[in-house]
Amino acid sequence: MYRRRLQQAAVVAWKQCWSVGPEHAVPCLSQGSTATNLAADESYYAFHNTIWRRWAHQKKQANDIRTGQVISLQGGKQLVRVTKYVYTQGQGRQLGSVLIEAKDVSTHVNVPLRFKTKDMVDVVRMEEKKYQYLYREEDTLHFMHPESFEQVTVDVNMLDTVDLLKEGDDALLEFYENTLISVSLPQTVSLMVSEAAPQMKNATAAPQYKKVRLETGAEITAPAYIKVGDVCIVDTSTREFVKRASSSSSSS
């Protein structure tokens, strides 16, 4: 009974510490809040790890899987992110199936999956942290946490859209069991046009487009009226021009 009450107290304190951040859960308890006497108990750490895994892993039926979720395969040896799912109706008494298009979060290789609707799938909850991009050093990207000032180095191959990243921009870093898994940019970024051909005077009524170069070196297709100095909002998932955020003053 006594040990059960200690565990209940540990859960309460652990949840309070978790609200600050997962990495603070054990240190916060060991510094003494509700369950300070458990900090020296080795069994507590095993208990903490059990709670962690219950939080980080959740079993779901395949027909409840949604785009963007991360699935654990082969007992956690491979993590894949769902990019598309299609439900197919079964015939007669046969159960339907779920066809999933996923991408390995480490290698970015496409992984097709097929489940029965009632199959239980291990869905992983990633720990997300926002970092600020500092600079690039050869094939290494340097990021810093804006509050703790902790710096993280990332291999350039982990980010498909590295040419849309400029110094000072935010990026979302995802961790699984304290290991960096993926890096992603916001849905849109604002970048200034550094090179663009002038708009043709004999423009037709039909929309016209041209290639422009952005301040990061990336090239996108933009409307013909875009000129050097304009700031374009770009969709990072499709690399498509969304709209012009602002433009430099021009003389007629």
Side-chain angles (χ1 to χ4, degrees):
M1 178 66 70
Y2 173 72
R3 186 169 190 81
R4 185 176 180 181
R5 287 181 178 177
L6 286 179
Q7 288 182 340
Q8 290 174 343
V11 171
V12 173
W14 189 87
K15 287 181 177 179
Q16 292 173 347
C17 295
W18 186 272
S19 64
V20 179
E23 69 277 12
H24 300 302
V26 171
C28 179
L29 286 177
S30 56
Q31 286 171 10
S33 54
T34 309
T36 183
N37 56 337
L38 290 181
D41 188 350
E42 292 182 1
S43 64
Y44 163 71
Y45 289 97
F47 178 65
H48 166 272
N49 290 334
T50 300
I51 298 178
W52 167 278
R53 289 202 164 270
R54 287 181 181 176
W55 180 89
H57 294 257
Q58 183 180 7
K59 291 291 186 180
K60 285 189 174 184
Q61 286 189 173
N63 59 342
D64 290 329
I65 299 299
R66 295 294 180 263
T67 301
Q69 292 181 328
V70 177
I71 298 175
S72 174
L73 303 175
Q74 305 175 39
K77 294 180 180 179
Q78 184 182 25
L79 299 178
V80 298
R81 189 184 303 277
V82 178
T83 57
K84 184 180 179 181
Y85 69 95
V86 178
Y87 171 75
T88 58
Q89 185 72 37
Q91 305 240 348
R93 295 186 177 180
Q94 293 182 348
L95 293 175
S97 59
V98 181
L99 305 178
I100 292 177
E101 294 180 14
K103 183 174 290 188
D104 190 294
V105 297
S106 299
T107 64
H108 304 292
V109 174
N110 292 325
V111 181
L113 300 171
R114 184 188 185 99
F115 298 102
K116 294 180 181 178
T117 55
K118 300 299 182 181
D119 285 347
M120 300 305 293
V121 181
D122 188 8
V123 177
V124 175
R125 183 182 297 185
M126 310 288 279
E127 181 186 352
E128 299 179 344
K129 295 182 181 180
K130 184 180 290 186
Y131 278 75
Q132 187 178 57
Y133 175 56
L134 297 178
Y135 62 93
R136 176 173 178 171
E137 185 178 18
E138 296 182 350
D139 291 336
T140 301
L141 306 176
H142 293 258
F143 292 87
M144 182 183 71
H145 193 279
E147 296 179 1
S148 67
F149 304 109
E150 170 198 15
Q151 292 196 20
V152 175
T153 56
V154 176
D155 188 283
V156 69
N157 294 317
M158 289 192 69
L159 187 60
D160 294 336
T161 52
V162 66
D163 59 343
L164 296 178
L165 182 65
K166 74 173 186 293
E167 294 181 6
D169 279 356
D170 290 334
L172 188 65
L173 276 59
E174 289 186 313
F175 296 83
Y176 175 69
E177 295 185 345
N178 295 323
T179 300
L180 179 62
I181 297 299
S182 69
V183 182
S184 60
L185 299 184
Q187 185 62 42
T188 60
V189 292
S190 299
L191 297 170
M192 183 177 294
V193 176
S194 59
E195 296 180 23
Q199 183 176 4
M200 297 180 61
K201 293 183 178 180
N202 298 327
T204 62
Q208 292 188 344
Y209 297 89
K210 62 184 179 183
K211 292 286 187 181
V212 300
R213 185 180 297 275
L214 306 175
E215 58 182 303
T216 56
E219 287 190 354
I220 64 168
T221 300
Y225 61 79
I226 295 298
K227 59 185 181 299
V228 173
D230 285 348
V231 176
C232 297
I233 296 180
V234 182
D235 188 313
T236 57
S237 60
T238 62
R239 304 178 66 88
E240 294 180 349
F241 172 89
V242 177
K243 64 179 181 179
R244 179 170 59 183
S246 63
S247 59
S248 61
S249 58
S250 60
S251 57
S252 52

